[in-house]
Amino acid sequence: MLPFTALAHPNIAFIKYWGNRSDALRLPANGSISMNLEGLETRTTVHFDASLPADKVKINGKIAGGMALARVRMMLEEVRHLAGIYLFARVASENNFPTGAGIASSASAFAALALAASQAAGMRPFPCAEDEVDSHLTAVLPEGQPFDLGALSRLARHGSGSACRSIPGGFVEWAAGSDDADSYAVSIAPPEHWDLVDCIAMISADRKQTGSTEGHAIAATSTLQHARVDDAPRRLGICRQAILNRDFATFAEIMEEDSNLMHAVMMSSHPPLFYWQPATLAVMQAVRAARAKGLPVCYTIDAGPNIHVICTQAAAEETAKLVGSISGVRDVRLAKVGGPARLVENPSTNPH
Ligand code: DP6
């Protein structure tokens, strides 16, 4: 079989995914909304090869083992099952951003892997060019179900929940869904809809002590999680509409409320999870003070101390300067709104 290479961007959630109804299937407790991050990417090549005695996985040039290998193999197993093939695969994956830089690499990693592996296993066709990606293209799986963008997003979700949001482009919503079949992500607006920029303030590059997977598993031990989940449809509705209307003031308030709610759940879980550093709080306060003075900025924080400061393109320079001047911020990285996961145009590796 022939190798295929895919590219995917990480994403930053405005309305967060925290906690699962099913940890095994990564069925989220609530829906979420995000934007893809342009310029940051994972590129993954998958080759199902009859000469291999086992799956071989390289991540950033190093042979993978432990949990990373186990998670990749689980996805390869699912693809083999769906495509009805029985070959091991060679997988090589590279990020163009440092792991542990406060950007969720599992999202872009499993989105790129899902696309490359499914295509390499013959579950074609998906187009090469970004603007050709549309949901009308389908391939039929051996069991007769269509393999479309929704199915691809679902496959990515099984590897890492947030990865399902890195399949479609631009501004993306992942519906909690009622079961495995309808829990996948769709684009709600293309990248050019709104010129937002994520100024990522790097506060620590240390590996986080409690990863997202472990965090999701204890979310329900917080007495606040129920209230957060019950209220999620309201926050999703406000955030979706604010994006569609390009209404920054509403967008800013709901995004910060959602991030604060998730961190309140984290801090009140058993055991409690404290991800912030003093500089994280300093950035939160500086962002709110700057917004009160008229600068269109707001913040959101994932499961780590680094903080994502979202602003409009017009405010990006001033925002990056402000954030970079705060004591404890080591670096600021800027990312615009990114496109969907796509095959890398390379006629020698991606035949159509
Ligand atoms: C705080 O998708 O990384 O970034 O499914 O276990 O891989 P796994 O978790 P993951 O969780 C992301 C959590 C978050 C919020 C978000 O991105 O919505």
Side-chain angles (χ1 to χ4, degrees):
M1 304 196 75
L2 290 154
F4 271 71
T5 302
L7 172 165
H9 302 291
N11 65 74
I12 179 68
F14 306 141
I15 301 296
K16 307 289 193 188
Y17 151 49
W18 197 248
N20 286 314
R21 283 171 290 151
S22 157
D23 284 324
L25 283 173
R26 290 189 156 82
L27 273 181
N30 60 277
S32 52
I33 293 180
S34 60
M35 77 176 205
N36 287 349
L37 300 176
E38 192 195 75
L40 309 170
E41 60 193 43
T42 301
R43 275 171 195 255
T44 301
T45 301
V46 178
H47 185 193
F48 289 97
D49 182 345
S51 72
L52 290 173
D55 291 321
K56 287 201 167 154
V57 180
K58 264 193 184 172
I59 301 175
N60 294 322
K62 288 196 190 121
I63 308 263
M67 249 339 261
L69 176 64
R71 280 175 80 168
V72 170
R73 290 204 57 204
M74 250 160 76
M75 180 164 289
L76 293 172
E77 277 300 318
E78 184 173 354
V79 168
R80 279 189 277 261
H81 172 76
L82 287 169
I85 62 164
Y86 302 94
L87 304 174
F88 289 114
R90 192 177 292 110
V91 176
S93 186
E94 303 272 347
N95 291 334
N96 75 347
F97 55 94
T99 332
I103 304 151
S105 56
S106 67
S108 50
F110 282 100
L113 179 64
L115 179 54
S118 59
Q119 303 309 284
M123 291 149 71
R124 294 194 283 274
F126 270 89
C128 287
E130 181 177 330
D131 52 6
E132 285 171 35
V133 176
D134 77 48
S135 50
H136 304 301
L137 285 158
T138 56
V140 176
L141 300 176
E143 297 94 75
Q145 308 132 318
F147 187 73
D148 55 12
L149 279 184
L152 181 63
S153 173
R154 232 169 39 222
L155 175 64
R157 191 196 87 220
H158 294 162
S160 174
S162 55
C164 76
R165 298 190 310 241
S166 284
I167 296 293
F171 298 87
V172 171
E173 180 161 0
W174 170 16
S178 55
D179 59 17
D180 182 52
D182 61 358
S183 185
Y184 58 88
V186 296
S187 179
I188 54 172
E192 60 278 10
H193 169 71
W194 200 9
D195 60 351
L196 294 185
V197 177
D198 182 4
C199 300
I200 308 156
M202 250 80 104
I203 287 167
S204 166
D206 293 348
R207 261 196 100 70
K208 52 190 171 198
Q209 290 186 340
T210 309
S212 306
T213 306
E214 289 165 86
H216 291 301
I218 62 162
T221 64
S222 164
T223 52
L224 304 181
Q225 172 71 345
H226 242 102
R228 192 192 74 88
V229 169
D230 283 353
D231 180 58
R234 179 190 68 90
R235 298 192 306 281
L236 287 162
I238 293 173
C239 183
R240 189 186 311 118
Q241 206 50 52
I243 290 171
L244 295 177
N245 297 345
R246 300 185 198 90
D247 170 358
F248 197 91
T250 306
F251 172 71
E253 288 301 322
I254 203 67
M255 185 168 85
E256 291 184 0
E257 181 183 344
D258 188 85
S259 173
N260 296 344
L261 276 170
M262 181 183 73
H263 283 273
V265 166
M266 291 163 161
M267 290 178 198
S268 52
S269 297
H270 299 275
L273 304 174
F274 299 104
Y275 288 110
W276 302 352
Q277 299 272 326
T280 315
L281 188 59
V283 175
M284 292 162 77
Q285 288 172 328
V287 163
R288 285 193 65 85
R291 187 157 82 254
K293 287 192 191 138
L295 195 68
V297 281
C298 53
Y299 68 78
T300 187
I301 307 158
D302 280 344
N306 303 308
I307 171 161
H308 295 252
V309 180
I310 314 292
C311 62
T312 58
Q313 176 66 50
E317 209 182 309
E318 194 176 338
T319 301
K321 216 193 264 167
L322 167 77
V323 171
S325 72
I326 295 168
S327 161
V329 174
R330 295 163 172 217
D331 196 13
V332 183
R333 177 137 197 188
L334 271 57
K336 295 183 193 177
V337 188
R342 51 207 183 263
L343 294 173
V344 173
E345 200 139 19
N346 178 351
S348 64
T349 56
N350 286 339
H352 279 274

